[in-house]
Amino acid sequence: MSLLRLCLLSSATLVTALVAPARQIRRSALRMVAEPPTRPVATPSVWTPASWRDFEVKQPPKYPDPAAVDDVVAELGRCAPLVFAGEVRDLHEALAKATAGNGFLLMGGDCAESFNEFSVDHVRDTFRVILQQALILTFGGSMPVIKVGRMAGQFAKPRSEPDETRDGVTLPSYRGDNINGEEFTPEARIHNPRRMVDAYHQSAQTLNILRAFATGGYADMSRLHAWNLDFVEKTAQGSQYRALGRQIDEALRFMKAIGVDTTGPPFRTTNFYTAHECLLLPYEEALTRKDSTTGKWYDCSAHMLWVGERTRQLDCAHVEFTRGIGNPLGVKISDKCTEDELLKIIDALNPNNVPGRLTIIVRMGAEKLRQNLPSLIRAVQREGKQVLWVSDPVHGNTFKTESGYKTRSFDRIRAELRAFFDVHAEMGTHPGGVHLEMTGEDVTECIGGVVSNISEDDLSKRYHTYCDPRLNGAQALDLAFLLATRLRESQGLPSLDF
């Protein structure tokens, strides 16, 4: 690639997409996406932040003292919001552009946050892996990247079984640190509503750390080489990243030479948002606020929320709650989802067909995705629905080894991502994003990898997850380079040598 073309790419894409000013941390009123004409839909029942209580709740916690739950909900209702409506509208606007093909959603973070693992370093390391991935995707894919962390609220996890048995002893399953404890004792496994308060305060600290890193100089493009994690530095992925960094350095020097100010906010700060699964409804209700600017309700526990495969039933509480909040929403679907079911979900959560409102997160496995996704895309196209298609290549590729470790195959994850891009290429639609469970730590939880090539025997070395297995930093960068290559192909751009 010529230096001139590289510089043009940097000025046109890198500046505006990767490190746009961090508007989401200000409370000022922001623009709303223009809404298309309203389509005729059935009139829903009156919505309130508590109307979900009149519906069946899937995956509910079983608190022994309902009065204690009410006290916690009231206490959280008096707490400050964790995010603000203006920030949420910024994200909505960016997702609307991605829905139109001008952007790519990058979602990543822990399977489940924990109280014991919380530290500034832990938050920072995940943040900087996402920064690296975004840099690779923006430079390689030539389009804006929307960075969303599964952070500051991703505690609760759905479970296949309500109870767990070990050595003849049966206790409630571990449901995430905001519900009960991971230790296999009767005391730890009690569902305790006070844990929602602990989760709120940890989320507030996490958001403070993220805002400081996003706007305080850590995201400065002049520091892009410092984002490399220590354990990734000497790997092939680290070498690829350094080579890419040198190209960007050259572009920045050229821009300075022609008079572009590379010390301003577009080069020193970045937009960063948070998201988590909408699962623990008392917590979400307590943090829902009415925006004084628009009069709309927003769940101020996160910028974006998604409804999982196990809780997306149309006549149940989670869809009822999320349909009334103004946040951008995601819905996870597997191969079990039919065309009719998907269209009804879209109508329930986005009745006015507003771009940026709804993201469909696909988790199927490579072969089932190739079989099932095309018909779902055709149904959405036929009805003129505005959705952003995102791949979750990890959840459909989980299995248990003979030694008892729950793991995921990197090769299968990569195969599902390729299938996702192949299908969209065949359909002429936009592959709009990726949703990954990953960490900045040097863990050995997912087998495989282009260079690290973790084997089943390696899993016991650094298997630290409290829930599902996560990609480590090197594996996450592997996927980022693959995604960047496919994004270039989807736009008809020539290949790049990273």
Side-chain angles (χ1 to χ4, degrees), residues 164-220:
E164 175 185 1
T165 300
R166 297 185 192 177
D167 301 324
V169 177
T170 299
L171 295 173
S173 296
Y174 172 59
R175 298 284 303 278
D177 275 9
N178 61 349
I179 294 177
N180 60 355
E182 193 273 338
E183 300 81 7
F184 194 74
T185 65
E187 296 78 14
R189 291 300 176 91
I190 292 174
H191 293 187
N192 181 357
R194 293 299 308 173
R195 285 177 167 268
M196 287 191 278
V197 178
D198 295 334
Y200 168 85
H201 289 296
Q202 180 169 313
S203 297
Q205 293 181 69
T206 301
L207 278 160
N208 284 340
I209 295 166
L210 290 171
R211 287 179 169 121
F213 284 140
T215 64
Y218 191 87
D220 193 322

Side-chain angles (χ1 to χ4, degrees), residues 95-141:
L95 292 172
K97 293 176 181 177
T99 301
N102 187 28
F104 189 84
L105 174 60
L106 171 62
M107 302 180 72
D110 277 322
C111 166
E113 295 173 281
S114 75
F115 296 160
N116 290 336
E117 279 193 345
F118 174 71
S119 69
V120 173
D121 288 350
H122 183 79
V123 175
R124 178 203 62 202
D125 287 348
T126 300
F127 176 75
R128 63 179 178 175
V129 170
I130 293 175
L131 282 184
Q132 287 182 285
Q133 290 178 301
L135 187 71
I136 294 165
L137 290 169
T138 303
F139 184 85

Side-chain angles (χ1 to χ4, degrees), residues 245-319:
R246 286 193 291 271
Q247 295 182 63
I248 295 174
D249 284 340
E250 289 293 328
L252 290 173
R253 282 193 287 271
F254 177 83
M255 293 167 75
K256 289 179 183 177
I258 62 174
V260 176
D261 181 7
T262 60
T263 64
F267 295 88
R268 301 190 67 252
T269 64
T270 189
N271 288 331
F272 196 88
Y273 305 94
T274 62
H276 62 255
E277 180 174 359
C278 178
L279 190 61
L280 187 54
L281 292 175
Y283 180 80
E284 306 301 343
E285 175 191 335
L287 289 170
T288 300
R289 306 284 192 269
K290 180 177 283 189
D291 176 35
S292 59
T293 302
T294 64
K296 294 185 177 182
W297 290 95
Y298 291 89
D299 184 346
C300 295
S301 69
H303 299 103
M304 179 179 184
L305 294 101
W306 73 85
V307 179
E309 170 76 5
R310 293 186 177 102
T311 56
R312 59 173 174 77
Q313 295 80 4
L314 287 166
D315 56 350
C316 291
H318 291 84
V319 169

Side-chain angles (χ1 to χ4, degrees), residues 223-255:
R223 300 188 72 258
L224 61 90
H225 294 284
W227 300 342
N228 232 351
L229 293 160
D230 294 339
F231 75 92
V232 176
E233 177 69 28
K234 297 180 181 179
T235 66
Q237 297 93 338
S239 297
Q240 284 181 293
Y241 178 76
R242 286 194 300 275
L244 180 146
R246 286 193 291 271
Q247 295 182 63
I248 295 174
D249 284 340
E250 289 293 328
L252 290 173
R253 282 193 287 271
F254 177 83
M255 293 167 75

Side-chain angles (χ1 to χ4, degrees), residues 313-330:
Q313 295 80 4
L314 287 166
D315 56 350
C316 291
H318 291 84
V319 169
E320 168 62 18
F321 175 78
T322 51
R323 76 175 179 86
I325 58 176
N327 306 61
L329 302 174

